[in-house]
Amino acid sequence: MAVVGAGAAGALVAVQLCEAAARRRTALDLVLVDPAPEAGRGVAYATEVPEHRLNVPVGGMSCYPDDPGHFRRWLCRHGESTVTAADFASRYRYGSYLADTLGRAVIAAHGTVTVRRLRTRATGCADAAGGRLELRLADGGTVTADSVVLATGPAAGRAGWAPAELVASDRFVARPWSPGALDAVGAADDVLLVGTGLTAVDLALVLDRPGRTVHAVSRGGLLPQPHAVAPLPAVPPPPGLAGMPFHRLRREVTRHFAATRRVHGDWRPALDGLRPEIVRLWQGLSDDERTEFLGRDATPWNVHRHRMAPSTAETVARARAARRLRVHAGRVASVAPGRDGGLVVSLDDGREIRAAWVVDCTGPGLRADGDPLWGGLLADGLAVPGPLGIGVSTDGGRLLDAEGQAGRPLFTLGAPRRGELWETTAIPEIRAQAKEVAEAVLAPLARAPRSARRRPTDQFGLPLSTHAAAAASFRCGLGRVITVRAKAAEAFARATELDPGFALGHAALALLGHECGADVDVARELADAQRSVRERGDERERSFVDVVTRRIAEHETHAAGGMPGDGDTALVEHLGRYPDDAFALGIAVPTIAFSGVADLDGSLALGLVERTAPAYAGHWFHTSLLSFVRQEQGRIGEAGELARAALAAEPASGHAVHALAHVHYESGEHGVGRDWLDGWIGGQGRGAVHRAHFSWHVALHELALDDSAAVRRRWFAQLAPGQVNGVRALVDSGSLLWRARMSRNWTGRVPVDGVLDAVARELVERPSTAFTALHSAVALTAAGDLPALRRLSTHAAGADPVQREVIVPLCGALEAVLEEEWATAVRELRGLLPSLRRVGGSAAQREVVEETLLYALVEAGHSDTARHLLEQRLDRRASPLDRRRLAGLTA
């Protein structure tokens, strides 16, 4: 495969070719032909002037049509952590992003795709033997390829507006982006820019300085409009526009703009909403109507469609206000030498502009025949001009020849398709075309269906659509997931390195990144999983990828808690069809690894575990999950027996260990539980993930034993920030400090500020789940941060039903605790207890609210109620702490 041009369009095609070929294990020799020193930049993104900004926000500039956040995440990983989708990055930065993305795609495809760069130009293309194509190169060489993609970018402008005397002048800069084109411009030289579009704006920023006047002239004298500082959502156009006569179409679009401006106070949402329809509308026009548009509407369309970044618009406005930039309406009529060695430019209305230099900023041309490569293709009949002679004609990107056939493997994208698409020069359009071209190029290379050879399987016998080596890595990762051990993500990553088209590997990484905080690009892995499973995946794998997709989408949109949402429904249905999918079952049961389905309380999780039992025939993994569910049901003895049976078969089973930790706590076996779990953490538990949570369980035993010194040692050794970070610090470390304080096992101010510093503030004050919100409220109360607690309450009031109905009153109760309004705190906390189960998590975790109530009861002087609550707790399980507190109340 040969790609001519390695600017943005060529780089995007190369990325798609590399990634698709690697996924499909299609061997490919890819040749990039371009004289530029670095792939990805082209002319547009080679400028190093920091003021040269993209004219599309960051959110619209991803390389991938199915992953719009990719560029923003790249910026965040490369030192711009506060960037948003609405910001405007520098053009040079975007060139770096393109080059880096291409480089990563090439590295990831190594072994399947070979990539070569030829630092030269293609000057011709002709038929070769066997239906292939031969490229002639400027250095005298040739490349013979099975397919050729012409990613040459916009055609060069012809400066047809320029009088002959100007063209002949050495004071005329015809190609301002050529290296060194403006080096001869003196510090005090005035400059005339012909054109007032984005090219002129960029050059005005470069040339602007005190003591120099930059003039800009165009027929309308109109500069591009600025983007809105705070953009509004796009407003779709009214239906039925396609196929309208042009005069009616113009009228309806004008009405749409006016109506949007009346409702939203801005015309931009109307134009942004019209953008997806532009190609269809353009293709519905006759040649006469298109000619009318070009003559009458193209300039105002471009002024409003191709807008400046807000910061650029502000700089331009300052230069105009200072009269360093002057914009004129008119045409260049003639040019004469000036007395000072400069030029006198006369406009068609008789005005004169004196400038030392004239720069062509009219932008690219519309016809392709000015380039030797395209000129030869058109002359030889391998290509034909597009509508109105603009660009070339294609069939979905495949060039049509003089006979109207698309028989050759010769493709193009971007600017050369402008005549047939009109809207085709921006990244959102080019990236979609790059994907289509890559699909078309690789389609003839699709492998014939394999014979019914047995596929490798996971450890539960489910087939995997990959080869043996990747399957082995996947089994390793799955083994670590079901035992709750570390390095599962590394094993899945190895599987996708061995087979980039292995959908389950990508889906597993996306899930671990989303729910377990693994260091992966969740959106990228999810997009790869979706892409791969469409190309190569069986029905079970497609269902699993759909489960992961829905689950991530649901969590990100704050789906309602307490009831199964769309993601939970998909997961339950998947397990109904594939009960032996251990990965899916582990996701569904909220023990320690995953958040599970929405209500552990009997119906859903219990039903799933019991219904899937026949598929596992007593396997230790299933037994571990059943043990955890049984202890949540209060069937403590049965849960203990199941956990011990599972551990006898697999001593590293984190799920069984977790269940037994709860069994020891709920049965009051605090000394036994402390010693056993502490020993496991130092032995089999060394390789476990969530070790902090197991340490939290040991600390609960130490609290129940009323051993304040042990609690402090445990916290500093295993639960302090640095040992634990992120949501785990919030849920385990923060809650332990508050419980220690409520039980008077920690006197003085607790060191919770460090815990809050170890957690992203967004997670603390805007949590996506009620479970996290409960622990945020507790940590903020421990820190005495009343304003943050109120902000959390405001967020919860606008979130899902559980946050609204449980977390909001909890914040109110804790606010009363901070303000020492004990009677209010007691009333509100007692009212909350029956609904706490809706928050999720275990009874031991939710008990932090009951501990707060006990403290408030004592402070409020409600000794009888506190005594009754302690007696109930002691009837349920032994606890030296509760006996001490009860004795104190009795005394």
Side-chain angles (χ1 to χ4, degrees):
M1 308 297 170
V3 177
V4 179
L12 291 173
V13 170
V15 166
Q16 292 289 343
L17 283 170
C18 287
E19 294 187 354
R23 287 196 306 272
R24 301 171 192 184
R25 286 178 270 166
T26 301
L28 194 67
D29 180 16
L30 179 61
V31 181
L32 302 180
V33 182
D34 192 295
E38 184 179 10
R41 293 200 179 277
V43 172
Y45 308 118
T47 171
E48 298 186 35
V49 178
E51 291 81 11
H52 284 171
R53 298 268 155 185
L54 297 171
N55 64 311
V56 174
V58 164
M61 294 295 287
S62 168
C63 284
Y64 302 98
D66 55 356
D67 185 5
H70 189 257
F71 180 39
R72 187 192 66 80
R73 298 196 306 277
W74 184 90
L75 288 169
C76 290
R77 291 195 304 272
H78 289 79
E80 299 184 39
S81 58
T82 60
V83 70
T84 71
D87 290 333
F88 292 81
S90 74
R91 298 231 302 269
Y92 191 81
R93 196 76 163 140
Y94 187 69
S96 300
Y97 162 68
L98 288 173
D100 184 60
T101 303
L102 175 57
R104 290 174 182 273
V106 170
I107 292 170
H110 178 69
T112 303
V113 181
T114 302
V115 181
R116 291 180 289 148
R117 278 285 312 278
L118 299 182
R119 294 277 304 278
T120 185
R121 294 185 183 278
T123 56
C125 181
D127 290 324
R132 306 177 85 198
L133 294 163
E134 182 181 82
L135 288 171
R136 295 186 300 275
L137 307 179
D139 61 6
T142 62
V143 172
T144 303
D146 294 285
S147 297
V148 172
V149 180
L150 302 177
T152 53
R158 301 188 178 201
W161 56 270
E165 58 267 32
L166 178 59
V167 175
S169 173
D170 59 2
R171 294 284 180 148
F172 178 53
V173 181
R175 298 183 183 278
W177 295 119
S178 299
L182 300 176
D183 288 353
V185 178
D189 289 350
D190 291 348
V191 180
L192 171 62
L193 309 178
V194 180
T196 57
L198 291 170
T199 299
V201 168
D202 282 342
L203 288 173
L205 296 179
V206 172
L207 294 167
D208 181 37
R209 66 181 59 202
R212 171 187 289 156
T213 300
V214 177
H215 299 271
V217 63
S218 67
R219 283 182 295 173
L222 300 174
L223 290 172
Q225 289 288 313
H227 280 278
V229 175
L232 295 167
V235 176
L241 295 182
M244 277 186 182
F246 186 50
H247 67 279
R248 284 187 56 200
L249 176 62
R250 181 191 286 116
R251 184 170 64 244
E252 290 301 319
V253 168
T254 302
R255 287 175 176 171
H256 173 54
F257 274 52
T260 302
R261 192 167 196 165
R262 284 195 301 273
V263 174
H264 298 283
D266 197 335
W267 51 267
R268 294 171 183 82
L271 193 147
D272 296 341
L274 188 63
R275 180 172 177 174
E277 303 295 322
I278 291 169
V279 170
R280 197 155 56 98
L281 296 178
W282 175 259
Q283 292 179 336
L285 301 179
S286 68
D287 281 354
D288 288 342
E289 289 173 326
R290 290 171 179 166
T291 300
E292 183 182 351
F293 171 83
L294 291 175
R296 175 176 174 179
D297 302 295
T299 295
W301 171 263
N302 288 332
V303 164
H304 291 79
R305 163 67 187 86
H306 301 288
R307 306 195 282 271
M308 294 184 281
S311 60
T312 300
E314 185 178 334
T315 303
V316 168
R318 286 199 300 268
R320 294 189 75 180
R323 304 287 288 169
R324 296 194 306 272
L325 173 61
R326 301 183 185 183
V327 181
H328 312 271
R331 297 173 186 262
V332 174
S334 63
V335 176
R339 287 192 299 270
D340 55 357
L343 300 170
V344 179
V345 180
S346 299
L347 304 183
D348 54 358
D349 62 0
R351 284 178 297 159
E352 291 184 346
I353 298 174
R354 297 180 180 275
W357 300 86
V358 176
V359 182
D360 184 1
C361 299
T362 55
L366 296 179
R367 299 183 182 274
D369 55 4
D371 177 84
L373 174 60
W374 282 109
L377 288 169
L378 291 164
D380 295 341
L382 273 65
V384 292
L388 306 183
I390 301 173
V392 294
S393 292
T394 75
D395 179 6
R398 194 166 186 145
L399 264 65
L400 296 177
D401 59 22
E403 297 178 359
Q405 301 297 312
R408 292 175 180 80
L410 186 56
F411 302 85
T412 193
L413 73 162
R417 299 186 65 189
R418 194 174 185 192
E420 61 185 19
L421 302 177
W422 185 251
E423 190 71 18
T424 182
T425 58
I427 292 296
E429 285 73 37
I430 294 174
R431 69 189 180 199
Q433 293 174 28
K435 184 177 180 182
E436 293 168 3
V437 166
E439 293 288 336
V441 166
L442 294 174
L445 306 179
R447 295 183 177 184
R450 294 187 175 189
S451 59
R453 190 177 67 186
R454 184 178 178 185
R455 289 183 290 164
T457 65
D458 68 13
Q459 46 266 66
F460 294 90
L462 291 175
L464 301 172
S465 295
T466 187
H467 52 68
S473 290
F474 182 84
R475 285 192 294 271
C476 177
L478 179 56
R480 292 180 178 279
V481 166
I482 63 177
T483 53
V484 200
R485 296 186 74 76
K487 299 190 181 299
E490 288 85 343
F492 291 131
R494 177 61 178 160
T496 59
E497 288 170 9
L498 292 168
D499 180 3
F502 184 23
L504 289 190
H506 290 297
L509 284 170
L511 190 68
L512 292 182
H514 178 72
E515 293 211 22
C516 305
D519 185 19
V520 299
D521 187 337
V522 173
R524 184 83 241 116
E525 295 297 340
L526 185 59
D528 284 338
Q530 294 163 342
R531 219 179 278 130
S532 299
V533 84
R534 286 194 298 268
E535 297 172 352
R536 172 167 42 99
D538 62 21
E539 185 57 38
R540 195 266 307 188
E541 290 166 323
R542 286 193 290 273
S543 177
F544 184 83
V545 171
D546 181 61
V547 164
V548 174
T549 300
R550 291 171 183 266
R551 191 169 184 82
I552 291 174
E554 180 177 286
H555 288 187
E556 288 180 347
T557 54
H558 299 186
M563 293 293 290
D566 190 41
D568 285 346
T569 302
L571 179 54
V572 171
E573 291 174 351
H574 175 86
L575 284 167
R577 296 191 299 273
Y578 310 104
D580 48 353
D581 190 335
F583 204 151
L585 186 61
I587 298 168
V589 182
T591 63
I592 188 171
F594 298 99
S595 58
V597 292
D599 69 332
L600 177 63
D601 185 17
S603 59
L604 211 52
L606 172 61
L608 285 173
V609 174
E610 291 184 336
R611 285 198 302 273
T612 55
Y616 292 88
H619 190 279
W620 62 263
F621 169 63
H622 189 274
T623 302
S624 300
L625 299 183
L626 183 59
S627 171
F628 190 83
V629 171
R630 289 289 185 247
Q631 64 83 26
E632 278 292 312
Q633 292 178 294
R635 296 160 64 171
I636 302 300
E638 184 181 351
E641 291 177 5
L642 290 167
R644 293 182 182 95
L647 287 168
E650 176 49 78
S653 173
H655 291 298
V657 171
H658 191 211
L660 193 54
H662 279 276
V663 167
H664 284 143
Y665 184 72
E666 297 300 338
S667 57
E669 298 175 345
H670 300 301
V672 171
R674 175 199 60 197
D675 296 342
W676 174 80
L677 189 52
D678 208 14
W680 184 86
I681 290 172
Q684 288 283 352
R686 285 183 180 277
V689 290
H690 307 301
R691 291 183 73 225
H693 189 63
F694 293 120
S695 296
W696 175 83
H697 272 283
V698 180
L700 283 195
H701 287 308
E702 291 167 339
L703 265 181
L705 291 167
D706 211 17
D707 190 345
S708 58
V711 171
R712 282 176 174 266
R713 286 195 301 271
R714 181 78 51 185
W715 194 89
F716 284 110
Q718 297 177 354
L719 290 163
Q723 304 287 333
V724 190
N725 294 296
V727 70
R728 197 83 264 170
L730 191 67
V731 171
D732 295 327
S733 308
S735 68
L736 178 66
L737 287 174
W738 184 245
R739 290 174 76 134
R741 180 175 167 186
M742 291 296 94
S743 62
R744 292 178 166 79
N745 269 289
W746 198 302
T747 56
R749 182 174 175 83
V750 293
V752 74
D753 290 338
V755 173
L756 290 170
D757 290 341
V759 187
R761 204 65 186 178
E762 179 79 3
L763 182 66
V764 175
E765 295 187 14
R766 299 183 60 82
S768 60
T769 67
F771 177 75
T772 305
L774 181 148
H775 288 87
S776 295
V778 166
L780 291 171
T781 305
D785 193 342
L786 187 57
L789 185 64
R790 287 171 175 166
R791 290 194 294 272
L792 172 63
S793 180
T794 300
H795 161 74
D800 59 76
V802 180
Q803 292 206 51
R804 291 198 300 271
E805 296 161 18
V806 180
I807 301 304
V808 171
L810 173 64
C811 289
L814 293 176
E815 183 176 332
V817 169
L818 284 177
E819 294 179 338
E820 299 186 359
E821 296 177 357
W822 300 114
T824 301
V826 166
R827 182 180 66 253
E828 295 188 4
L829 288 169
R830 291 183 70 178
L832 272 173
L833 291 182
S835 60
L836 273 182
R837 201 175 190 101
R838 297 176 63 197
V839 168
S842 65
Q845 287 171 316
R846 297 188 297 269
E847 198 176 62
V848 68
V849 177
E850 188 176 85
E851 290 287 342
T852 309
L853 173 60
L854 264 172
Y855 186 91
L857 284 168
V858 174
E859 292 297 316
H862 296 180
S863 299
D864 290 343
T865 307
R867 186 181 301 110
H868 179 65
L869 179 56
L870 285 167
E871 288 169 349
Q872 285 182 321
R873 284 160 60 109
L874 286 167
D875 287 343
R876 191 167 73 240
R877 64 166 180 262
S879 167
L881 169 64
D882 284 351
R883 285 200 302 270
R884 186 257 296 168
R885 289 194 284 195
L886 183 61
L889 286 172
T890 302

